[in-house]
Amino acid sequence: MKYDDEYYVLTEQGASGQYMLGKIKGSDDGLSRLLSQRSIKRLVRGPGKVRVNRGDKARFSPCDYHDTGDDLVSEKFKQVIETFTPQHVDFYQTDIINGDQVWSEHYFMHIWNHYRVMHHGRSKIDGTYVDDHFILESFSLDENVLDKIPLQERLIFRLSEDPQFLFHETVVAALKAANLTGVGFKKVKDWGISSGFDDDFYADL
């Protein structure tokens, strides 16, 4: 269970949670593959485009992190991640459009580094592990599997069993130090199906 203390899931926090953003017409079709577990560089030929669908549009200002169903991050967020040169993490420039205003220094983050590392005995699901047909309620990481993967290769990765993206505590520490807006961090051991609605902002490492 040691890795349940070391890995985090990102959550929307603060001002970010007050708005709902989504892709609009004109966004590159290749960016519909952001959950792909392989590179999509050959599919993406242009920028992404999102708009504010819900919230007080007159007061909107982009945060460093927005959960649009995919991870939308700022240039500042991107630069922190890139200092770690993580395996199989790509960024695609995306415009945030709100009326006549356009913010261009944002990116969809595509994490296609993936491992099958859920501990079935300690994780809680609604459904079956057969073909991964389940809703994930809480989970634990299998230390016997992760111990065999070098740290540099698992700084950031996706669960193969479920689209949860995990960040090692060293990466999280750097993101926290950058004073990013709109993003919170939930340890795997504390994560649950309702964690996206939790206001526990910047929990201590």
Side-chain angles (χ1 to χ4, degrees):
M1 296 177 64
K2 63 179 181 180
Y3 291 114
D4 298 355
D5 245 341
E6 293 184 14
Y7 280 92
Y8 290 72
V9 177
L10 270 55
T11 61
E12 265 190 336
Q13 297 289 349
S16 181
Q18 298 173 20
Y19 297 93
M20 181 179 291
L21 280 62
K23 294 190 191 77
I24 59 173
K25 184 177 180 180
S27 185
D28 191 281
D29 288 342
L31 291 172
S32 63
R33 304 290 186 89
L34 283 164
L35 289 181
S36 176
Q37 295 187 31
R38 61 184 177 86
S39 174
I40 60 173
K41 284 187 176 181
R42 293 185 178 180
L43 301 175
V44 180
R45 300 177 182 273
K49 295 183 183 295
V50 301
R51 71 179 176 197
V52 181
N53 292 326
R54 292 186 184 178
D56 187 349
K57 296 181 182 180
R59 302 183 63 176
F60 174 77
S61 180
C63 293
D64 291 304
Y65 176 81
H66 289 278
D67 182 356
T68 68
D70 302 299
D71 291 331
L72 182 64
V73 304
S74 68
E75 176 69 30
K76 185 178 179 181
F77 188 112
K78 174 177 174 283
Q79 289 178 359
V80 173
I81 295 298
E82 288 180 333
T83 62
F84 289 89
T85 58
Q87 175 175 284
H88 298 161
V89 178
D90 297 325
F91 296 90
Y92 296 97
Q93 189 272 319
T94 298
D95 294 334
I96 299 177
I97 302 169
N98 184 35
D100 295 332
Q101 292 183 291
V102 179
W103 293 269
S104 296
E105 293 188 348
H106 279 73
Y107 303 82
F108 275 124
M109 182 167 57
H110 178 215
I111 299 169
W112 52 288
N113 185 33
H114 55 96
Y115 298 113
R116 184 167 292 274
V117 293
M118 276 178 53
H119 190 288
H120 290 192
R122 298 193 299 258
S123 300
K124 184 177 180 182
I125 66 169
D126 181 5
T128 174
Y129 284 112
V130 177
D131 295 325
D132 299 329
H133 288 163
F134 60 80
I135 295 172
L136 186 62
E137 297 181 356
S138 64
F139 68 102
S140 180
L141 300 173
D142 191 332
E143 57 273 15
N144 293 322
V145 178
L146 279 172
D147 279 344
K148 298 175 183 177
I149 304 170
L151 176 59
Q152 182 61 34
E153 297 178 15
R154 54 177 170 82
L155 287 171
I156 301 173
F157 69 91
R158 171 188 165 170
L159 290 179
S160 292
E161 300 93 334
D162 185 87
Q164 295 293 334
F165 303 104
L166 304 183
F167 294 72
H168 189 261
E169 61 185 2
T170 54
V171 180
V172 169
L175 291 170
K176 290 183 178 183
N179 293 318
L180 301 172
T181 60
V183 61
F185 308 94
K186 180 71 69 174
K187 283 186 178 183
V188 166
K189 71 173 186 177
D190 300 322
W191 185 90
I193 194 169
S194 62
S195 290
F197 304 99
D198 195 322
D199 288 329
D200 183 16
F201 188 64
Y202 284 103
D204 290 336
L205 280 168

